[in-house]
Amino acid sequence: MSHFSTVKTKLSNHECLVQALTDLNLSPQVHQTAQSLKGYYGGSQGQSAEIIVSGRTIKARADIGFKWNQSSGVYDVIHDNYETVPKLGKDFFSNKLMLAYGKHLVRVKAAELQEKFGECAIAEETNGSVQTLRLTFAGHQEVKQFARR
Protein backbone atom coordinates (compact mmCIF):
# COMPACT_ATOMS: atom_id res chain seq x y z
CA MET A 1 0.00 0.00 0.00
CA SER A 2 1.30 3.40 -0.94
CA HIS A 3 2.20 5.78 1.91
CA PHE A 4 4.87 8.23 3.00
CA SER A 5 7.77 6.97 5.11
CA THR A 6 10.25 9.11 7.02
CA VAL A 7 13.91 8.09 6.93
CA LYS A 8 16.59 9.50 9.23
CA THR A 9 19.72 10.72 7.44
CA LYS A 10 23.07 12.34 8.18
CA LEU A 11 22.42 15.14 5.65
CA SER A 12 23.05 18.38 7.52
CA ASN A 13 24.41 20.87 4.97
CA HIS A 14 21.60 22.63 3.11
CA GLU A 15 23.69 23.87 0.17
CA CYS A 16 25.41 20.52 -0.37
CA LEU A 17 22.05 18.71 -0.35
CA VAL A 18 20.50 21.08 -2.89
CA GLN A 19 23.60 20.87 -5.12
CA ALA A 20 23.64 17.06 -4.90
CA LEU A 21 19.97 16.84 -5.90
CA THR A 22 20.65 19.24 -8.78
CA ASP A 23 23.64 17.13 -9.90
CA LEU A 24 21.32 14.12 -10.00
CA ASN A 25 18.89 16.06 -12.27
CA LEU A 26 16.12 16.12 -9.65
CA SER A 27 15.35 19.88 -9.85
CA PRO A 28 14.78 20.50 -6.12
CA GLN A 29 12.32 23.20 -5.08
CA VAL A 30 13.65 25.07 -2.05
CA HIS A 31 11.26 26.81 0.36
CA GLN A 32 11.86 28.93 3.48
CA THR A 33 9.03 27.16 5.31
CA ALA A 34 7.82 23.60 4.92
CA GLN A 35 5.31 23.06 2.10
CA SER A 36 2.83 20.18 1.72
CA LEU A 37 3.98 17.13 -0.19
CA LYS A 38 1.81 15.53 -2.86
CA GLY A 39 1.19 11.87 -2.14
CA TYR A 40 0.12 8.95 -4.30
CA TYR A 41 -3.56 9.72 -3.77
CA GLY A 42 -3.10 13.47 -4.23
CA GLY A 43 -3.15 14.46 -0.54
CA SER A 44 -0.16 15.29 1.61
CA GLN A 45 -1.01 12.80 4.39
CA GLY A 46 0.03 15.64 6.74
CA GLN A 47 3.61 15.61 5.41
CA SER A 48 5.60 18.72 4.48
CA ALA A 49 9.21 19.63 3.71
CA GLU A 50 11.46 22.59 2.94
CA ILE A 51 13.18 20.89 -0.02
CA ILE A 52 10.87 19.09 -2.44
CA VAL A 53 11.54 16.96 -5.50
CA SER A 54 8.31 16.86 -7.47
CA GLY A 55 7.05 13.40 -8.31
CA ARG A 56 6.71 14.57 -11.91
CA THR A 57 10.51 14.97 -12.06
CA ILE A 58 10.97 11.21 -11.66
CA LYS A 59 7.67 10.26 -13.34
CA ALA A 60 6.17 9.18 -10.02
CA ARG A 61 2.84 10.02 -8.37
CA ALA A 62 4.36 11.16 -5.05
CA ASP A 63 6.86 13.87 -4.12
CA ILE A 64 10.10 13.38 -2.23
CA GLY A 65 10.66 15.77 0.67
CA PHE A 66 13.67 16.73 2.76
CA LYS A 67 12.46 18.16 6.06
CA TRP A 68 14.78 19.87 8.53
CA ASN A 69 14.70 18.09 11.89
CA GLN A 70 15.53 20.77 14.44
CA SER A 71 16.16 18.35 17.30
CA SER A 72 18.69 16.17 15.45
CA GLY A 73 20.17 18.90 13.23
CA VAL A 74 19.78 16.89 10.01
CA TYR A 75 17.31 16.48 7.17
CA ASP A 76 14.79 13.63 7.23
CA VAL A 77 13.74 12.15 3.88
CA ILE A 78 10.01 11.75 3.40
CA HIS A 79 9.09 9.57 0.44
CA ASP A 80 6.74 6.90 -0.83
CA ASN A 81 8.85 3.77 -1.13
CA TYR A 82 6.44 2.23 -3.64
CA GLU A 83 6.98 5.20 -5.95
CA THR A 84 10.65 6.07 -5.45
CA VAL A 85 12.29 2.61 -5.50
CA PRO A 86 11.04 1.62 -9.00
CA LYS A 87 12.05 5.02 -10.40
CA LEU A 88 15.35 5.70 -8.57
CA GLY A 89 16.51 2.28 -7.36
CA LYS A 90 16.59 0.81 -3.86
CA ASP A 91 20.03 2.24 -3.06
CA PHE A 92 19.38 5.77 -4.28
CA PHE A 93 19.35 7.50 -0.87
CA SER A 94 22.11 5.41 0.72
CA ASN A 95 24.40 5.36 -2.31
CA LYS A 96 23.82 7.79 -5.19
CA LEU A 97 22.57 10.72 -3.13
CA MET A 98 25.18 10.23 -0.40
CA LEU A 99 28.01 10.11 -2.97
CA ALA A 100 26.85 13.32 -4.65
CA TYR A 101 26.32 14.99 -1.26
CA GLY A 102 29.70 13.79 0.00
CA LYS A 103 31.54 15.28 -2.98
CA HIS A 104 30.06 18.70 -2.28
CA LEU A 105 30.67 18.40 1.45
CA VAL A 106 34.35 17.54 0.85
CA ARG A 107 34.70 20.63 -1.33
CA VAL A 108 33.13 22.83 1.37
CA LYS A 109 35.41 21.39 4.05
CA ALA A 110 38.44 21.74 1.73
CA ALA A 111 37.63 25.44 1.28
CA GLU A 112 37.51 25.86 5.07
CA LEU A 113 40.84 24.05 5.47
CA GLN A 114 42.38 26.05 2.64
CA GLU A 115 42.05 29.18 4.75
CA LYS A 116 44.24 27.51 7.41
CA PHE A 117 46.70 25.53 5.31
CA GLY A 118 46.98 27.36 1.99
CA GLU A 119 46.31 26.28 -1.59
CA CYS A 120 44.42 23.01 -1.97
CA ALA A 121 44.13 20.67 -4.96
CA ILE A 122 41.39 18.06 -5.20
CA ALA A 123 41.96 14.94 -7.30
CA GLU A 124 39.15 12.50 -8.10
CA GLU A 125 39.76 8.84 -8.79
CA THR A 126 37.24 6.11 -9.51
CA ASN A 127 38.07 2.42 -9.25
CA GLY A 128 34.99 0.31 -9.89
CA SER A 129 32.38 1.38 -7.34
CA VAL A 130 34.93 3.13 -5.09
CA GLN A 131 35.37 6.84 -5.61
CA THR A 132 38.24 8.66 -3.91
CA LEU A 133 38.72 12.38 -3.45
CA ARG A 134 42.29 13.27 -2.47
CA LEU A 135 43.10 16.66 -0.96
CA THR A 136 46.62 18.00 -1.32
CA PHE A 137 47.61 21.17 0.52
CA ALA A 138 50.54 23.21 -0.72
CA GLY A 139 51.09 24.86 2.67
CA HIS A 140 54.43 25.42 4.23
CA GLN A 141 56.28 22.31 5.26
CA GLU A 142 58.63 22.33 8.17
CA VAL A 143 61.88 20.50 7.59
CA LYS A 144 64.19 19.68 10.45
CA GLN A 145 67.67 18.33 10.13
CA PHE A 146 69.42 16.47 12.88
CA ALA A 147 73.13 15.81 13.11
CA ARG A 148 74.21 12.37 14.21
CA ARG A 149 76.86 12.29 16.93
Side-chain angles (χ1 to χ4, degrees), residues 26-98:
L26 294 178
S27 306
Q29 304 161 9
V30 180
H31 305 280
Q32 294 290 354
T33 58
Q35 303 294 309
S36 293
L37 297 175
K38 186 184 106 200
Y40 182 87
Y41 298 108
S44 68
Q45 299 172 19
Q47 298 293 338
S48 62
E50 293 85 4
I51 301 171
I52 299 173
V53 173
S54 172
R56 290 183 301 245
T57 304
I58 61 169
K59 297 183 173 100
R61 291 175 272 188
D63 295 339
I64 301 169
F66 295 85
K67 183 171 181 69
W68 181 251
N69 185 325
Q70 191 67 39
S71 62
S72 63
V74 295
Y75 283 93
D76 291 336
V77 177
I78 302 167
H79 71 106
D80 185 330
N81 206 38
Y82 293 100
E83 289 292 303
T84 55
V85 170
K87 306 296 182 184
L88 298 173
K90 67 180 179 179
D91 66 342
F92 175 78
F93 296 109
S94 62
N95 187 11
K96 292 177 187 168
L97 179 60
M98 289 307 291

Side-chain angles (χ1 to χ4, degrees), residues 6 11 14 23-24 28 34 45 66 70 93 102 109 116 133 139:
T6 301
L11 304 167
H14 175 82
D23 288 353
L24 296 168
Q45 299 172 19
F66 295 85
Q70 191 67 39
F93 296 109
K109 296 298 181 187
K116 293 180 183 179
L133 292 174

